Amino acid sequence: MEVTVRLPSALRTRADEKSTVDLKLPEAATLADLLDALADRYPALERRLRDERRELRRYVNFFVDGEECRRLGGAATPLRDAAEVQIIPSVAGG
Amino acid sequence: MTTVLAIGTRKGLWLATSSAGRTGWEVTGPHHAMNDVYAVAFDTRRDRPRLLAGITSEHYGPSVAFSDDLGATWQEPDHAPIAFPEDTGAALARVWQFAPGPASTPEVVYAGVEPSAVFKSTDGGQTYELVRGLWDHPHRPQWHPGFGGMAVHTILPHPTDEARVLVAMSTGGVYATDDGGEHWRARNVGVQAYRNPDRYPEFGQCVHKVARHPDHPERFFLQNHHGVYRSDDGAESWQSIADGLPTDFGFAMVAHPHRPDVIYNFPIQADERRYPPDGRCAVYRSEDAGKSWDALTAGLPEVFWSGVLRDAMCVDDDDPAGVYFGTRSGSVYASRDEGDHWQPVAEQLPDVLCVRAVVV
């Protein structure tokens, strides 16, 4: 299946300045699978989205078809064909 | 001759450059905007000094960046430069310290991190591996976070013996290895543990900073969470040198680059009153290895309720030495005469976490 990832502006320098990335994933892929594929293509994104335990960064939100993944299955959230995943930093900091 | 002062803050890195005998400063920044910069270092063993910065984004986590042109351009490896191995179950929170190794190992750089661990680079600070000997230490489950986190914030490689390294952490105390990092032993004899039923435990002290002069590698100076100490026996034992100071609390401890008996400190009133004594801005200098201390205030603010963090004071290696410190209220001061007189370098920056200087 194919999914589209939308990147925040701060991360585009780590992805050849792209704002969207299209990825082909196996059937029944999850958000974690998508992040694996994204890391293969753009390794510098990986540590900015997940720590070395593969846990999602606390202040980065991953909207799967408009719903933040933590209200779904977290990194295990299943993706559908033609899904759109928006990565947006949360409101944090001071 | 040009002097560059790296100023790590809560929201980025600033670089102050003086080509005028350290009287006027041109300040650029923020570099790595909105990243906290707990650790900076100049590695002067290279043809061109390498500037290392530990940067942490609130959103995107920690990283290490380095520059070989004094901050004009920066490089970061694609893959995480510092990462805990999978079996540790740990994740890097931030880098607190960089320490280039001795001249005999020009590509070795150590990093002290949170959670408390030491990483070692053998490629000049680009990529690092966990020092397993310290991570596997049986004391580690009993190390606890201080107020600022649980981190190895001080690393002092021996200036000539690459097998010997001393580290300090909050809390946990001082540990040292004599065999290149395989085995580590606590070195806290004589250092008190504040608010601990056992005032002098083997480990668990909240050591804030340790300094050493390269010409006296067996002598150390230590600022504790209440307590200021010197060791003359390679950190096997510690004796108080706090008598001549207005208070024994503080964070910074810096050794003079050329005169082994000269050290600098910035006293804070107490654990529960973290202001300078009397609200006065004063650096204290000892010229006799801590037997006596003098307050240095010329050019510093008379009213000052801010503070100086553990890595926010440093020296350059010029002669006479420059001394620098940054404050939690975003001011940076420099002295080009070993602390006798001070002038502002920058003001109204974010809170200053660390400063390091190099003469090029």
Side-chain angles (χ1 to χ4, degrees):
Chain A
M1 63 181 181
E2 290 191 14
V3 297
T4 298
V5 183
R6 297 195 181 280
L7 296 173
S9 56
L11 292 184
R12 291 172 194 165
T13 56
R14 313 291 175 183
D16 296 337
E17 302 296 340
K18 292 185 188 304
S19 59
T20 63
V21 179
D22 295 323
L23 295 170
K24 286 189 178 177
L25 300 175
E27 293 304 312
T30 63
L31 176 61
D33 297 323
L34 176 146
L35 293 174
D36 289 344
L38 196 59
D40 285 342
R41 188 176 302 182
Y42 300 114
L45 287 178
E46 168 64 3
R47 69 177 180 276
R48 294 172 170 87
L49 302 178
R50 296 187 290 191
D51 67 25
E52 56 264 58
R53 296 173 301 197
R54 294 162 50 87
E55 291 185 7
L56 303 177
R57 292 274 175 216
R58 180 180 176 188
Y59 294 118
V60 179
N61 290 330
F62 300 82
F63 290 88
V64 177
D65 292 324
E67 191 72 36
E68 212 287 314
C69 75
R70 292 167 180 90
R71 290 193 287 268
L72 302 169
T77 299
L79 305 177
R80 64 173 179 84
D81 187 30
E84 180 178 281
V85 175
Q86 271 189 289
I87 300 174
I88 302 176
S90 67
V91 178
Chain B
M1 194 175 295
T2 298
T3 305
V4 181
L5 179 67
I7 305 162
T9 81
R10 189 79 62 189
K11 295 183 184 178
L13 175 72
W14 275 259
L15 295 170
T17 303
S18 177
S19 328
R22 300 174 293 179
T23 55
W25 296 87
E26 179 188 341
V27 181
T28 66
H31 306 262
H32 309 292
M34 292 306 293
N35 283 254
D36 71 40
V37 183
Y38 272 59
V40 289
F42 289 102
D43 185 351
T44 56
R45 299 168 302 172
R46 319 177 72 81
D47 291 340
R48 307 177 70 188
R50 172 166 288 176
L51 174 55
L52 294 152
I55 59 176
T56 302
S57 160
E58 191 95 15
H59 292 102
Y60 303 119
S63 189
V64 176
F66 66 92
S67 172
D68 289 333
D69 51 17
L70 296 173
T73 60
W74 292 89
Q75 300 177 60
E76 281 184 66
D78 276 352
H79 294 278
I82 297 179
F84 279 90
E86 188 175 352
D87 66 284
T88 65
L92 179 69
R94 57 170 46 84
V95 180
W96 282 65
Q97 185 86 158
F98 292 109
S104 58
T105 57
E107 294 296 317
V108 169
V109 176
Y110 292 96
V113 309
E114 175 185 352
S116 288
V118 172
F119 283 73
K120 181 179 182 180
S121 169
T122 55
D123 61 6
Q126 298 182 58
T127 61
Y128 297 77
E129 286 192 10
L130 177 66
V131 175
R132 285 278 185 178
L134 187 62
W135 181 258
D136 292 335
H137 198 286
H139 291 173
R140 188 172 65 80
Q142 297 173 70
W143 299 339
H144 296 292
F147 185 69
M150 190 175 78
V152 171
H153 52 64
T154 299
I155 303 178
L156 295 169
H158 191 281
T160 56
D161 184 347
E162 60 194 69
R164 298 174 63 187
V165 182
L166 180 140
V167 304
M169 65 186 81
S170 300
T171 67
V174 173
Y175 285 77
T177 178
D178 297 321
D179 62 5
E182 281 193 44
H183 300 91
W184 297 77
R185 184 163 54 82
R187 309 274 178 108
N188 301 296
V189 174
V191 180
Q192 74 163 342
Y194 185 68
R195 287 185 175 160
N196 191 319
D198 178 358
R199 292 291 295 278
Y200 293 96
E202 179 188 5
F203 63 96
Q205 286 83 348
C206 186
V207 174
H208 287 176
K209 202 66 200 173
V210 185
R212 164 163 63 188
H213 191 281
D215 291 350
H216 273 230
E218 304 305 319
R219 173 182 279 181
F220 295 91
F221 302 95
L222 185 154
Q223 174 65 62
N224 195 47
H225 193 111
H226 280 301
V228 185
Y229 301 93
R230 187 183 78 222
S231 171
D232 293 317
D233 57 7
E236 294 293 347
S237 65
W238 299 89
Q239 293 78 41
S240 175
I241 55 169
D243 279 353
L245 289 165
T247 161
D248 66 355
F249 195 80
F251 291 91
M253 178 64 84
V254 172
H256 190 282
H258 311 303
R259 299 159 63 196
D261 287 343
V262 178
I263 47 177
Y264 297 90
N265 185 279
F266 195 96
I268 303 292
Q269 191 167 343
D271 169 65
E272 293 183 346
R273 281 189 71 80
R274 297 193 182 197
Y275 313 107
D278 302 321
R280 290 290 307 269
C281 188
V283 173
Y284 277 71
R285 179 179 63 199
S286 173
E287 298 185 277
D288 52 14
K291 294 189 184 77
S292 64
W293 296 85
D294 294 307
L296 310 172
T297 59
L300 295 178
E302 291 189 7
V303 178
F304 183 79
W305 295 99
S306 187
V308 176
L309 295 175
R310 74 187 81 232
D311 274 304
M313 181 182 282
C314 73
V315 289
D316 63 30
D317 65 353
D318 211 341
D319 192 10
V323 191
Y324 308 86
F325 70 94
T327 73
R328 298 202 68 180
S329 43
S331 295
V332 181
Y333 297 94
S335 169
R336 63 187 188 124
D337 55 10
E338 316 219 328
D340 289 338
H341 301 88
W342 299 86
Q343 66 176 57
V345 173
E347 294 178 298
Q348 311 290 0
L349 299 180
D351 22 356
V352 177
L353 303 172
C354 58
V355 293
R356 289 293 185 273
V358 69
V359 179
V360 293

